[in-house]
Amino acid sequence: MNARRRTVLAAGAAGAAALATGCGSSDGDGGEDASPKPSGPGDATGGAELARTGDIPVGGGTVFKERKIVVTQPTEGEFKAFSAVCTHASCLVSTVSDGTINCPCHGSRFSITDAAVEAGPAPRPLPAEEISVSGGTIRLG
């Protein structure tokens, strides 16, 4: 392989790595990112604990970056969970505000109620994720 071709390939690989890193690195503003709490070994309810119900604001939500899940509470006591991976370019959504789940990469916005696309370029809604809510705890599965 000649030197010019190696330079072009190396530059392309570096650019791709920078682009991939940039897609999911935006932080939320004001605590939208919360760390999941591990479940205990004797949990009878199944999945790992994500949060307490009081941690999810009514009319808003919280992005769990490590789990790639966003949990919303469209109305009091109603909890929904969706993939946090945008259906446009696979960036992670970063915030939940004004009734939408927001992707920082290209401006896609999704409804907190059903993850329907409210502003593109995302081509389809965020996929639903399964959660259970019991005793003030939200768990995966």
Side-chain angles (χ1 to χ4, degrees):
M1 186 182 305
N2 66 35
R4 180 175 165 83
R5 183 176 167 132
R6 276 192 301 269
T7 301
V8 169
L9 289 175
L19 181 61
T21 301
C23 276
S25 64
S26 180
D27 286 335
D29 58 356
E32 285 83 359
D33 181 34
S35 299
K37 298 169 185 103
S39 62
D43 260 336
T45 56
E49 183 177 327
L50 281 175
R52 303 292 296 168
T53 55
D55 296 339
I56 310 298
V58 176
T62 301
V63 178
F64 298 91
K65 291 181 182 181
E66 297 82 13
R67 302 278 187 174
K68 297 183 180 176
I69 292 176
V70 58
V71 176
T72 65
Q73 187 177 186
T75 60
E76 189 166 351
E78 175 189 22
F79 297 91
K80 306 278 186 157
F82 308 101
S83 169
V85 179
C86 182
T87 58
H88 173 242
S90 298
C91 298
L92 287 183
V93 299
S94 63
T95 62
V96 181
S97 61
D98 300 322
T100 61
I101 302 163
N102 309 300
C103 182
C105 292
H106 303 103
S108 291
R109 293 191 324 248
F110 305 89
S111 167
I112 64 169
T113 302
D114 60 4
V117 177
E118 293 206 356
R124 60 192 173 283
L126 297 172
E129 294 285 340
E130 191 174 331
I131 57 170
S132 63
V133 180
S134 177
T137 300
I138 301 170
R139 296 184 180 279
L140 290 175

